[in-house]
Amino acid sequence: MAETTTGVAPTTETGLPKGFRGAEQGWPELHRIPHPPRRLPLLGDVLGADRRTPVQDSMRYARQLGPIFRRMAFGKEFVFVWGAELAADMADESRFAKHVGLGVANLRPVAGDGLFTAYNHEPNWQLAHDVLAPGFSREAMEGYHPMMLAVAGRLTDHWDRELAAGRAVDVPGDMTKLTLETIARTGFGHDFGSFERPRLHPFVNAMVGTLTYAQRLNSVPAPLAPLLLRGASRRNEADIAYLNRTVDDLVRARRESGEGGGGDLLDRMLETAHPETGERLSAENVRRQVITFLVAGHETTSGALSFALHYLSRHPEIAARARAEVDAVWGDAEVPGYDQVAKLRYVRRVLDEALRLWPTAPAFAREARLDTVLAGDHPMRRGGWALVLTSMLHRDPEVWGADAERFDPDRFDPKAVRSRAKHTFKPFGTGARACIGRQFALHEATLVLGLLLRRYDLRPDPDYRLRVTERLTLMPEGLRLHLERRTVSAGVSPAPAPDEAPSELRCPVHGAGD
């Protein structure tokens, strides 16, 4: 799908993205799939729904309707899958592939055929994947580690100032600053100066604006969108223009400086040819990939850190266990080495459990490569698609038990991981189009949690109740924590059992050694 010069994706006469097809075209026995009660003609399943929280509405319907259900919007059907058997079947790469769903398609005006938003038939995603994959090798990750530490130091300096002033810290806001600076510095040699600003950088505001607009397009009746979203559409075009200008300036500065970034992601985009074909990324595609990494590379990680910190503050016994591990593993080292992060096995379980309950990318879409039958029960035509509702897959009681809503990091004890069926934990998607930067995100988030636990005791606001805001990704809303500075005491607890594999070698998305 080509973008127009205004940055607005072409649409059909219904107002939907060009090429969009409802699920009714791909499911010949759609009538067998339950839908919410009180469906209205034309409007669909709108009674009791909140356009600001479509994911949480879908989670509520999932509990009522079971492991496969459908919802109607825009006069079109959307099929949702969350049962473990069904989701595992859709992970079969020989029969299913990534589907660029409605929410993702709404981001194509800004990200085009970037890694996240490209259609499967577009060649640039594979070209970019092959060129950029070495940027997430162990060697590259070791090079990023000191820069991650430097940015984390700016966060703790900021939190020290807030603590001295007696103020609670804005967790989602500060995690967003942290992760934006981390991906900008490690990937592109750029500094947004987020911690030196009294407010979020305009890039973040523009990014949130585009994500929020894409979310709103999902929940506004298509014929009414031009009227209801006229002002929002103008703001979205301005946001896209700002993102493009920012990235163009970043790339231009790199080219004009004549200096490389030491093999960072931008160097690879500008200088590296495909190892087999010799192809290079075009200037337009470089821009799209940079935007993709800046947006996806920090938005989801900031949410994961924010949810993890929320749960740590609410479970002091879990925080104490994680903190004891940090003290034991890192000892009196001023800063941890790269390999020491992977040894924080319990801290990593805390992160995994936060991603289980609130995967910040809460769903992904899959389409049939050929006519098939899903889990031996539901016929699908080639091109038929469904949304895998990750936030409910991770709560399937048949996999996670009757207490699946409870926060318990020991669900990711190595023995427990080995006992579960494959494809039951999918915070980074699945298959060939899964998140290329997942190990980058996991290393960064585990490092930051370790540093914060080592330095602070976390105190929640007793009146706070978790609220989740949706802008295609998920984030705790209004989360603020009080801090107490602690004195590091090395060696206060025994190190983890030696038979546990370091977390870097046990990727719960794909399996050991991935």
Side-chain angles (χ1 to χ4, degrees):
M1 172 167 45
E3 284 73 41
T4 66
T5 55
T6 62
V8 179
T11 59
T12 65
E13 63 275 5
T14 65
L16 293 163
K18 188 176 181 180
F20 176 82
R21 55 189 182 275
E24 60 273 20
Q25 299 177 39
W27 296 77
E29 297 182 10
L30 189 67
H31 64 277
R32 295 177 49 215
I33 300 175
H35 64 75
R38 300 186 297 163
R39 173 171 282 188
L40 299 178
L42 300 178
L43 293 178
D45 303 312
V46 297
L47 294 178
D50 188 334
R51 65 179 180 82
R52 296 169 299 180
T53 56
V55 170
Q56 291 163 86
D57 284 347
S58 295
M59 293 171 66
R60 176 166 50 86
Y61 289 131
R63 294 183 177 99
Q64 296 171 6
L65 300 172
I68 182 169
F69 65 98
R70 55 190 165 114
R71 296 182 66 184
M72 178 183 284
F74 314 109
K76 300 289 186 181
E77 294 276 8
F78 295 74
V79 173
F80 294 80
V81 164
W82 62 273
E85 180 185 4
L86 297 163
D89 206 37
M90 297 200 85
D92 181 353
E93 285 284 290
S94 68
R95 293 162 51 223
F96 294 92
K98 173 169 178 166
H99 174 77
V100 177
L102 183 59
V104 177
N106 288 335
L107 290 175
R108 282 184 59 91
V110 62
D113 57 353
L115 281 168
F116 179 59
T117 46
Y119 293 112
N120 292 318
H121 67 270
E122 293 177 309
N124 273 328
W125 83 261
Q126 187 69 65
L127 171 61
H129 183 279
D130 293 348
V131 166
L132 293 170
F136 298 98
S137 65
R138 177 184 173 87
E139 181 183 6
M141 293 289 295
E142 286 188 87
Y144 302 147
H145 179 75
M147 291 182 273
M148 291 182 178
L149 281 169
V151 176
R154 291 164 67 183
L155 169 70
T156 54
D157 287 347
H158 171 67
W159 276 21
D160 285 350
R161 291 191 294 271
E162 295 296 279
L163 173 59
R167 293 189 291 262
V169 294
D170 172 8
V171 174
D174 290 341
M175 293 305 105
T176 295
K177 293 178 179 180
L178 169 91
T179 54
L180 175 64
E181 292 299 334
T182 299
I183 187 62
R185 184 165 177 183
T186 59
F188 311 106
H190 186 72
D191 189 334
F192 283 101
S194 297
F195 288 105
E196 292 68 48
R197 293 172 174 269
R199 299 179 181 85
L200 289 174
H201 191 281
F203 183 92
V204 175
N205 294 327
M207 177 215 69
V208 171
T210 60
L211 292 174
T212 303
Y213 181 76
Q215 180 81 300
R216 291 186 68 186
L217 285 177
N218 289 351
S219 55
V220 173
L224 300 179
L227 177 64
L228 296 179
L229 299 181
R230 184 179 302 165
S233 178
R234 287 195 296 268
R235 288 192 298 274
N236 185 57
E237 290 183 26
D239 287 338
I240 291 173
Y242 182 84
L243 294 176
N244 287 340
R245 286 197 307 272
T246 301
V247 171
D248 287 346
D249 289 346
L250 187 156
V251 174
R252 186 182 305 111
R254 172 67 61 86
R255 289 188 185 276
E256 291 177 352
S257 72
E259 299 177 0
D264 64 11
L265 295 178
L266 185 55
D267 270 358
R268 295 176 189 276
M269 292 180 193
L270 296 176
E271 306 296 339
T272 304
H274 190 280
E276 296 178 4
T277 67
E279 289 181 272
R280 294 178 181 270
L281 298 178
S282 68
E284 181 181 43
N285 193 254
V286 168
R287 172 206 276 174
R288 290 169 173 173
Q289 302 299 353
V290 173
I291 289 176
T292 296
F293 276 104
L294 286 173
V295 174
H298 91 273
E299 172 73 0
T300 51
T301 309
S302 62
L305 279 165
S306 298
F307 282 116
L309 289 166
H310 165 73
Y311 285 113
L312 285 168
S313 73
R314 293 286 171 166
H315 296 273
E317 73 287 356
I318 292 174
R321 184 176 168 187
R323 185 176 292 112
E325 178 186 62
V326 176
D327 290 344
V329 173
W330 290 0
D332 57 1
E334 185 175 349
V335 293
Y338 174 79
D339 289 331
Q340 285 182 295
V341 176
K343 294 177 182 178
L344 295 183
R345 296 150 194 168
Y346 188 73
V347 174
R348 169 65 183 275
R349 290 179 212 165
V350 169
L351 179 63
D352 286 343
E353 179 68 348
L355 282 168
R356 181 186 71 84
L357 286 172
W358 293 107
T360 49
F364 58 92
R366 301 283 282 173
E367 67 178 52
R369 295 180 183 268
L370 68 169
D371 291 354
T372 189
V373 180
L374 179 63
D377 193 29
H378 294 281
M380 294 180 69
R381 298 189 182 99
R382 178 183 178 185
W385 61 276
L387 282 161
V388 178
L389 192 58
T390 321
S391 50
M392 285 303 297
L393 170 64
H394 292 178
R395 288 172 162 83
D396 186 343
E398 293 187 9
V399 175
W400 304 96
D403 65 345
E405 299 284 347
R406 183 172 63 89
F407 185 79
D408 179 10
D410 282 336
R411 298 182 201 275
F412 291 91
D413 175 276
K415 183 178 179 180
V417 172
R418 288 192 295 268
S419 70
R420 281 194 294 272
K422 293 181 179 179
H423 307 298
T424 55
F425 183 61
K426 293 288 183 180
F428 298 101
T430 192
R433 300 289 301 274
C435 174
I436 190 175
R438 56 188 176 270
Q439 291 298 350
F440 180 100
L442 291 168
H443 182 87
E444 176 190 5
T446 305
L447 168 65
V448 169
L449 287 179
L451 291 169
L452 296 180
L453 285 165
R454 190 188 208 194
R455 195 175 188 88
Y456 306 107
D457 286 318
L458 308 171
R459 299 286 180 256
D461 179 345
D463 295 326
Y464 178 78
R465 297 294 178 268
L466 181 63
R467 302 183 304 276
V468 178
T469 187
E470 301 182 23
R471 52 195 191 211
L472 292 185
T473 61
L474 304 181
M475 180 78 77
E477 181 181 350
L479 174 63
R480 303 185 74 86
L481 294 178
H482 297 275
L483 306 174
E484 291 181 15
R485 191 76 159 84
R486 66 184 294 262
T487 301
V488 177
S489 177
V492 296
S493 70
D499 60 341
E500 293 183 7
S503 57
E504 184 184 61
L505 301 181
R506 193 268 308 150
C507 175
V509 182
H510 292 272
D514 177 65

